[in-house]
Amino acid sequence: MKKLMVGNWKMNKNGKECTEYLEAFVAKYSGRREAWIAPQALYVKLVINSPLKAGIQNCSEHVEGAYTGEISPRTFKEMGGHFVILGHSERRQYFTENSRNLNPKISTALNEGLTVIYCVGETLKERDQGLTLSLIEDQLHQGLNDQSKATVENLIIAYEPVWAIGTGKTASPLQAQEVHGFIRSILTAKFPAFGHQTRILYGGSVKPDNVEELLAQKDIDGGLVGGASLKARDFLALCGDM
Ligand code: PGA
């Protein structure tokens, strides 16, 4: 499988900026690495209409009904959407998400045919207390318990140490590989048919100048990128095209 770079634009970019970015990106993109983008949901159609795969940054655990303000994974799939990022640390921090209440969201998204990028990661305090691996193990078990629809194509894990997101601090390639290797062992035990091939992305201050050494690690299959995905030029560089 090709390496995968996923741009998480968070709550950034207006329609004009999305259009200009996509034009600039597509003009130079070779397809050497896969490139997916999750813009603000209101502009997702612009990405759906481009050669890149389009994602949303959250979705409802329900497919329709009286859930004011929610985004239906079914509707998104019908529009031509491809993936959803679930359990990002900002959602865990500000919107009361946790691995337990993410479990039904993951199930619904998989049932509706979306690819799920499930995010896990520890805070600095948890790392300093030596809790990183046990915490990641809990996040994986709780979120992925009973996910019978999961396959190698529709489930991706993103390891994002919270202390590295938007801070300019990146986990060293060895620190990242240690956790990715651990995630790999859990996935292999949990999903014997495909866990050894499940893509595990690293996220947290991935930039053009550190991407290659991260991607050189055995169990790092790509990146989930915030800040550096906002400039077409930088995202092209992350995709190996600059
Ligand atoms: P960052 O964000 O690349 O700006 O650190 C990563 C993320 O939040 O997914």
Side-chain angles (χ1 to χ4, degrees):
M1 261 192 276
K2 285 186 191 180
K3 300 281 185 190
L4 167 63
M5 303 308 300
V6 180
N8 171 15
W9 286 358
K10 310 190 179 183
M11 208 168 68
N12 294 298
K13 289 200 186 296
N14 62 28
K16 182 167 175 282
E17 289 164 343
C18 290
T19 305
E20 286 170 2
Y21 179 110
L22 290 168
E23 275 172 19
F25 185 86
V26 169
K28 297 222 166 108
Y29 175 58
S30 71
R32 181 143 84 96
R33 291 180 185 151
E34 275 189 62
W36 300 3
I37 296 226
Q40 296 200 68
L42 293 170
Y43 291 119
V44 81
K45 198 78 191 165
L46 295 174
V47 181
I48 289 173
N49 291 337
S50 83
L52 308 186
K53 287 190 170 149
I56 44 180
Q57 302 162 16
N58 175 37
C59 70
S60 175
E61 70 183 80
H62 305 286
V63 294
E64 63 181 0
Y67 302 103
T68 302
E70 289 290 88
I71 296 179
S72 160
R74 179 172 294 172
T75 307
F76 177 58
K77 177 71 184 178
E78 278 167 11
M79 285 174 71
H82 182 69
F83 73 99
V84 56
I85 300 170
L86 289 176
H88 189 280
S89 65
E90 286 152 17
R91 305 242 11 125
R92 291 177 188 258
Q93 189 180 350
Y94 305 130
F95 303 103
T96 66
E97 293 194 354
N98 58 54
S99 305
R100 252 179 243 288
N101 63 29
L102 284 160
N103 183 291
K105 282 195 190 203
I106 296 172
S107 304
T108 308
L110 293 177
N111 275 335
E112 294 305 311
L114 293 174
T115 291
V116 169
I117 300 180
Y118 177 50
C119 304
V120 297
E122 81 287 4
T123 62
L124 190 55
K125 191 162 163 222
E126 289 158 343
R127 174 163 281 264
D128 288 345
Q129 290 172 341
L131 297 175
T132 301
L133 298 186
S134 60
L135 182 106
I136 303 272
E137 184 167 11
D138 285 351
Q139 291 175 331
L140 289 172
H141 283 311
Q142 288 172 12
L144 301 180
N145 214 13
D146 293 329
Q147 301 295 0
S148 57
K149 290 280 169 61
T151 66
V152 71
E153 280 87 27
N154 69 13
L155 179 69
I156 295 173
I157 305 300
Y159 168 55
E160 299 205 304
V162 179
W163 48 272
I165 296 178
T167 58
K169 286 187 199 143
T170 322
S172 71
L174 289 181
Q175 273 175 324
Q177 169 56 32
E178 186 200 3
V179 179
H180 280 236
F182 178 71
I183 293 173
R184 172 79 61 217
S185 68
I186 291 179
L187 293 172
T188 307
K190 216 170 177 55
F191 303 110
F194 63 86
H196 59 291
Q197 283 179 297
T198 297
R199 280 167 150 171
I200 308 172
L201 310 180
Y202 170 79
S205 298
V206 176
K207 296 180 283 269
D209 63 5
N210 62 21
V211 69
E212 298 304 329
E213 53 177 6
L214 286 163
L215 292 183
Q217 302 301 309
K218 178 164 163 281
D219 293 300
I220 302 188
D221 304 303
L224 177 56
V225 190
S229 74
L230 288 172
K231 285 198 186 127
R233 216 188 139 74
D234 288 348
F235 199 50
L236 279 164
L238 295 178
C239 292
D241 286 331
M242 285 302 258

PDB file of all heavy atoms in Angstrom, residues 133-153:
ATOM      1  N   LEU A 133       1.473   3.481  27.021  1.00  0.00           N
ATOM      2  CA  LEU A 133       1.048   2.249  26.338  1.00  0.00           C
ATOM      3  C   LEU A 133      -0.260   1.695  26.909  1.00  0.00           C
ATOM      4  O   LEU A 133      -1.132   1.259  26.148  1.00  0.00           O
ATOM      5  CB  LEU A 133       2.163   1.197  26.377  1.00  0.00           C
ATOM      6  CG  LEU A 133       3.468   1.617  25.668  1.00  0.00           C
ATOM      7  CD1 LEU A 133       4.465   0.458  25.636  1.00  0.00           C
ATOM      8  CD2 LEU A 133       3.259   2.146  24.249  1.00  0.00           C
ATOM      9  N   SER A 134      -0.426   1.792  28.223  1.00  0.00           N
ATOM     10  CA  SER A 134      -1.680   1.242  28.769  1.00  0.00           C
ATOM     11  C   SER A 134      -2.865   2.093  28.330  1.00  0.00           C
ATOM     12  O   SER A 134      -3.952   1.581  28.041  1.00  0.00           O
ATOM     13  CB  SER A 134      -1.615   1.111  30.291  1.00  0.00           C
ATOM     14  OG  SER A 134      -1.405   2.366  30.869  1.00  0.00           O
ATOM     15  N   LEU A 135      -2.635   3.408  28.225  1.00  0.00           N
ATOM     16  CA  LEU A 135      -3.727   4.278  27.785  1.00  0.00           C
ATOM     17  C   LEU A 135      -4.114   3.999  26.328  1.00  0.00           C
ATOM     18  O   LEU A 135      -5.293   3.899  25.976  1.00  0.00           O
ATOM     19  CB  LEU A 135      -3.261   5.731  27.921  1.00  0.00           C
ATOM     20  CG  LEU A 135      -4.319   6.714  27.537  1.00  0.00           C
ATOM     21  CD1 LEU A 135      -4.877   7.376  28.777  1.00  0.00           C
ATOM     22  CD2 LEU A 135      -3.793   7.743  26.587  1.00  0.00           C
ATOM     23  N   ILE A 136      -3.101   3.853  25.490  1.00  0.00           N
ATOM     24  CA  ILE A 136      -3.365   3.569  24.074  1.00  0.00           C
ATOM     25  C   ILE A 136      -4.101   2.230  23.942  1.00  0.00           C
ATOM     26  O   ILE A 136      -5.035   2.092  23.151  1.00  0.00           O
ATOM     27  CB  ILE A 136      -2.032   3.490  23.286  1.00  0.00           C
ATOM     28  CG1 ILE A 136      -1.230   4.775  23.425  1.00  0.00           C
ATOM     29  CG2 ILE A 136      -2.248   3.077  21.840  1.00  0.00           C
ATOM     30  CD1 ILE A 136      -1.499   5.837  22.457  1.00  0.00           C
ATOM     31  N   GLU A 137      -3.680   1.279  24.757  1.00  0.00           N
ATOM     32  CA  GLU A 137      -4.336  -0.030  24.702  1.00  0.00           C
ATOM     33  C   GLU A 137      -5.823   0.110  25.063  1.00  0.00           C
ATOM     34  O   GLU A 137      -6.687  -0.423  24.357  1.00  0.00           O
ATOM     35  CB  GLU A 137      -3.632  -0.988  25.679  1.00  0.00           C
ATOM     36  CG  GLU A 137      -4.173  -2.383  25.619  1.00  0.00           C
ATOM     37  CD  GLU A 137      -3.279  -3.390  26.330  1.00  0.00           C
ATOM     38  OE1 GLU A 137      -2.334  -2.974  27.047  1.00  0.00           O
ATOM     39  OE2 GLU A 137      -3.533  -4.588  26.162  1.00  0.00           O
ATOM     40  N   ASP A 138      -6.119   0.868  26.105  1.00  0.00           N
ATOM     41  CA  ASP A 138      -7.530   1.080  26.484  1.00  0.00           C
ATOM     42  C   ASP A 138      -8.286   1.786  25.375  1.00  0.00           C
ATOM     43  O   ASP A 138      -9.418   1.427  25.046  1.00  0.00           O
ATOM     44  CB  ASP A 138      -7.621   1.958  27.745  1.00  0.00           C
ATOM     45  CG  ASP A 138      -7.258   1.191  28.999  1.00  0.00           C
ATOM     46  OD1 ASP A 138      -7.114  -0.048  28.912  1.00  0.00           O
ATOM     47  OD2 ASP A 138      -7.094   1.836  30.052  1.00  0.00           O
ATOM     48  N   GLN A 139      -7.680   2.827  24.800  1.00  0.00           N
ATOM     49  CA  GLN A 139      -8.373   3.571  23.735  1.00  0.00           C
ATOM     50  C   GLN A 139      -8.695   2.647  22.564  1.00  0.00           C
ATOM     51  O   GLN A 139      -9.777   2.713  21.984  1.00  0.00           O
ATOM     52  CB  GLN A 139      -7.515   4.751  23.268  1.00  0.00           C
ATOM     53  CG  GLN A 139      -7.399   5.854  24.329  1.00  0.00           C
ATOM     54  CD  GLN A 139      -6.444   6.967  23.912  1.00  0.00           C
ATOM     55  OE1 GLN A 139      -5.488   6.743  23.162  1.00  0.00           O
ATOM     56  NE2 GLN A 139      -6.681   8.168  24.412  1.00  0.00           N
ATOM     57  N   LEU A 140      -7.749   1.782  22.238  1.00  0.00           N
ATOM     58  CA  LEU A 140      -7.983   0.867  21.111  1.00  0.00           C
ATOM     59  C   LEU A 140      -9.065  -0.152  21.464  1.00  0.00           C
ATOM     60  O   LEU A 140      -9.996  -0.373  20.680  1.00  0.00           O
ATOM     61  CB  LEU A 140      -6.685   0.152  20.730  1.00  0.00           C
ATOM     62  CG  LEU A 140      -5.626   1.032  20.058  1.00  0.00           C
ATOM     63  CD1 LEU A 140      -4.312   0.266  19.910  1.00  0.00           C
ATOM     64  CD2 LEU A 140      -6.084   1.523  18.686  1.00  0.00           C
ATOM     65  N   HIS A 141      -8.969  -0.739  22.641  1.00  0.00           N
ATOM     66  CA  HIS A 141      -9.956  -1.780  22.982  1.00  0.00           C
ATOM     67  C   HIS A 141     -11.351  -1.186  23.071  1.00  0.00           C
ATOM     68  O   HIS A 141     -12.297  -1.720  22.508  1.00  0.00           O
ATOM     69  CB  HIS A 141      -9.579  -2.492  24.283  1.00  0.00           C
ATOM     70  CG  HIS A 141      -8.465  -3.478  24.083  1.00  0.00           C
ATOM     71  ND1 HIS A 141      -8.483  -4.412  23.069  1.00  0.00           N
ATOM     72  CD2 HIS A 141      -7.308  -3.672  24.738  1.00  0.00           C
ATOM     73  CE1 HIS A 141      -7.374  -5.138  23.119  1.00  0.00           C
ATOM     74  NE2 HIS A 141      -6.640  -4.696  24.110  1.00  0.00           N
ATOM     75  N   GLN A 142     -11.479  -0.044  23.749  1.00  0.00           N
ATOM     76  CA  GLN A 142     -12.825   0.525  23.925  1.00  0.00           C
ATOM     77  C   GLN A 142     -13.412   0.991  22.598  1.00  0.00           C
ATOM     78  O   GLN A 142     -14.564   0.748  22.287  1.00  0.00           O
ATOM     79  CB  GLN A 142     -12.783   1.682  24.925  1.00  0.00           C
ATOM     80  CG  GLN A 142     -12.574   1.159  26.342  1.00  0.00           C
ATOM     81  CD  GLN A 142     -12.327   2.269  27.344  1.00  0.00           C
ATOM     82  OE1 GLN A 142     -12.522   3.445  27.044  1.00  0.00           O
ATOM     83  NE2 GLN A 142     -11.891   1.906  28.519  1.00  0.00           N
ATOM     84  N   GLY A 143     -12.619   1.661  21.810  1.00  0.00           N
ATOM     85  CA  GLY A 143     -13.144   2.177  20.535  1.00  0.00           C
ATOM     86  C   GLY A 143     -13.419   1.069  19.529  1.00  0.00           C
ATOM     87  O   GLY A 143     -14.360   1.143  18.739  1.00  0.00           O
ATOM     88  N   LEU A 144     -12.600   0.029  19.558  1.00  0.00           N
ATOM     89  CA  LEU A 144     -12.671  -0.977  18.481  1.00  0.00           C
ATOM     90  C   LEU A 144     -13.366  -2.266  18.897  1.00  0.00           C
ATOM     91  O   LEU A 144     -13.498  -3.187  18.084  1.00  0.00           O
ATOM     92  CB  LEU A 144     -11.257  -1.299  17.976  1.00  0.00           C
ATOM     93  CG  LEU A 144     -10.483  -0.092  17.420  1.00  0.00           C
ATOM     94  CD1 LEU A 144      -9.104  -0.520  16.946  1.00  0.00           C
ATOM     95  CD2 LEU A 144     -11.246   0.574  16.278  1.00  0.00           C
ATOM     96  N   ASN A 145     -13.828  -2.303  20.133  1.00  0.00           N
ATOM     97  CA  ASN A 145     -14.535  -3.488  20.589  1.00  0.00           C
ATOM     98  C   ASN A 145     -15.740  -3.798  19.705  1.00  0.00           C
ATOM     99  O   ASN A 145     -16.502  -2.898  19.375  1.00  0.00           O
ATOM    100  CB  ASN A 145     -15.038  -3.191  22.013  1.00  0.00           C
ATOM    101  CG  ASN A 145     -15.011  -4.426  22.846  1.00  0.00           C
ATOM    102  OD1 ASN A 145     -14.399  -5.423  22.440  1.00  0.00           O
ATOM    103  ND2 ASN A 145     -15.661  -4.380  23.991  1.00  0.00           N
ATOM    104  N   ASP A 146     -15.904  -5.042  19.312  1.00  0.00           N
ATOM    105  CA  ASP A 146     -17.087  -5.471  18.539  1.00  0.00           C
ATOM    106  C   ASP A 146     -17.237  -4.757  17.205  1.00  0.00           C
ATOM    107  O   ASP A 146     -18.357  -4.535  16.757  1.00  0.00           O
ATOM    108  CB  ASP A 146     -18.386  -5.259  19.344  1.00  0.00           C
ATOM    109  CG  ASP A 146     -18.443  -6.185  20.537  1.00  0.00           C
ATOM    110  OD1 ASP A 146     -17.895  -7.297  20.433  1.00  0.00           O
ATOM    111  OD2 ASP A 146     -19.010  -5.771  21.560  1.00  0.00           O
ATOM    112  N   GLN A 147     -16.160  -4.380  16.580  1.00  0.00           N
ATOM    113  CA  GLN A 147     -16.282  -3.723  15.266  1.00  0.00           C
ATOM    114  C   GLN A 147     -16.153  -4.809  14.186  1.00  0.00           C
ATOM    115  O   GLN A 147     -15.135  -4.942  13.527  1.00  0.00           O
ATOM    116  CB  GLN A 147     -15.213  -2.625  15.078  1.00  0.00           C
ATOM    117  CG  GLN A 147     -15.256  -1.518  16.104  1.00  0.00           C
ATOM    118  CD  GLN A 147     -16.523  -0.669  16.047  1.00  0.00           C
ATOM    119  OE1 GLN A 147     -17.408  -0.898  15.225  1.00  0.00           O
ATOM    120  NE2 GLN A 147     -16.615   0.309  16.914  1.00  0.00           N
ATOM    121  N   SER A 148     -17.243  -5.540  13.998  1.00  0.00           N
ATOM    122  CA  SER A 148     -17.168  -6.691  13.088  1.00  0.00           C
ATOM    123  C   SER A 148     -17.091  -6.256  11.620  1.00  0.00           C
ATOM    124  O   SER A 148     -16.738  -7.051  10.762  1.00  0.00           O
ATOM    125  CB  SER A 148     -18.370  -7.604  13.300  1.00  0.00           C
ATOM    126  OG  SER A 148     -19.537  -6.853  13.101  1.00  0.00           O
ATOM    127  N   LYS A 149     -17.427  -4.990  11.334  1.00  0.00           N
ATOM    128  CA  LYS A 149     -17.371  -4.525   9.939  1.00  0.00           C
ATOM    129  C   LYS A 149     -15.990  -4.014   9.539  1.00  0.00           C
ATOM    130  O   LYS A 149     -15.771  -3.617   8.397  1.00  0.00           O
ATOM    131  CB  LYS A 149     -18.394  -3.396   9.716  1.00  0.00           C
ATOM    132  CG  LYS A 149     -19.848  -3.856   9.749  1.00  0.00           C
ATOM    133  CD  LYS A 149     -20.230  -4.476   8.417  1.00  0.00           C
ATOM    134  CE  LYS A 149     -21.550  -5.209   8.402  1.00  0.00           C
ATOM    135  NZ  LYS A 149     -22.707  -4.414   8.717  1.00  0.00           N
ATOM    136  N   ALA A 150     -15.068  -3.980  10.483  1.00  0.00           N
ATOM    137  CA  ALA A 150     -13.750  -3.412  10.178  1.00  0.00           C
ATOM    138  C   ALA A 150     -12.988  -4.286   9.185  1.00  0.00           C
ATOM    139  O   ALA A 150     -13.040  -5.517   9.256  1.00  0.00           O
ATOM    140  CB  ALA A 150     -12.937  -3.267  11.464  1.00  0.00           C
ATOM    141  N   THR A 151     -12.317  -3.655   8.247  1.00  0.00           N
ATOM    142  CA  THR A 151     -11.480  -4.359   7.269  1.00  0.00           C
ATOM    143  C   THR A 151     -10.168  -3.591   7.126  1.00  0.00           C
ATOM    144  O   THR A 151     -10.023  -2.484   7.651  1.00  0.00           O
ATOM    145  CB  THR A 151     -12.126  -4.399   5.871  1.00  0.00           C
ATOM    146  OG1 THR A 151     -12.179  -3.060   5.367  1.00  0.00           O
ATOM    147  CG2 THR A 151     -13.522  -4.987   5.897  1.00  0.00           C
ATOM    148  N   VAL A 152      -9.290  -4.144   6.339  1.00  0.00           N
ATOM    149  CA  VAL A 152      -8.024  -3.449   6.115  1.00  0.00           C
ATOM    150  C   VAL A 152      -8.246  -2.139   5.359  1.00  0.00           C
ATOM    151  O   VAL A 152      -7.498  -1.183   5.526  1.00  0.00           O
ATOM    152  CB  VAL A 152      -7.009  -4.378   5.409  1.00  0.00           C
ATOM    153  CG1 VAL A 152      -7.380  -4.627   3.955  1.00  0.00           C
ATOM    154  CG2 VAL A 152      -5.599  -3.829   5.514  1.00  0.00           C
ATOM    155  N   GLU A 153      -9.296  -2.084   4.538  1.00  0.00           N
ATOM    156  CA  GLU A 153      -9.543  -0.845   3.775  1.00  0.00           C
ATOM    157  C   GLU A 153     -10.245   0.224   4.605  1.00  0.00           C
ATOM    158  O   GLU A 153     -10.035   1.406   4.383  1.00  0.00           O
ATOM    159  CB  GLU A 153     -10.441  -1.113   2.552  1.00  0.00           C
ATOM    160  CG  GLU A 153      -9.731  -1.694   1.362  1.00  0.00           C
ATOM    161  CD  GLU A 153      -9.666  -3.215   1.446  1.00  0.00           C
ATOM    162  OE1 GLU A 153     -10.559  -3.803   2.101  1.00  0.00           O
ATOM    163  OE2 GLU A 153      -8.730  -3.801   0.898  1.00  0.00           O
TER     164      GLU A 153
END
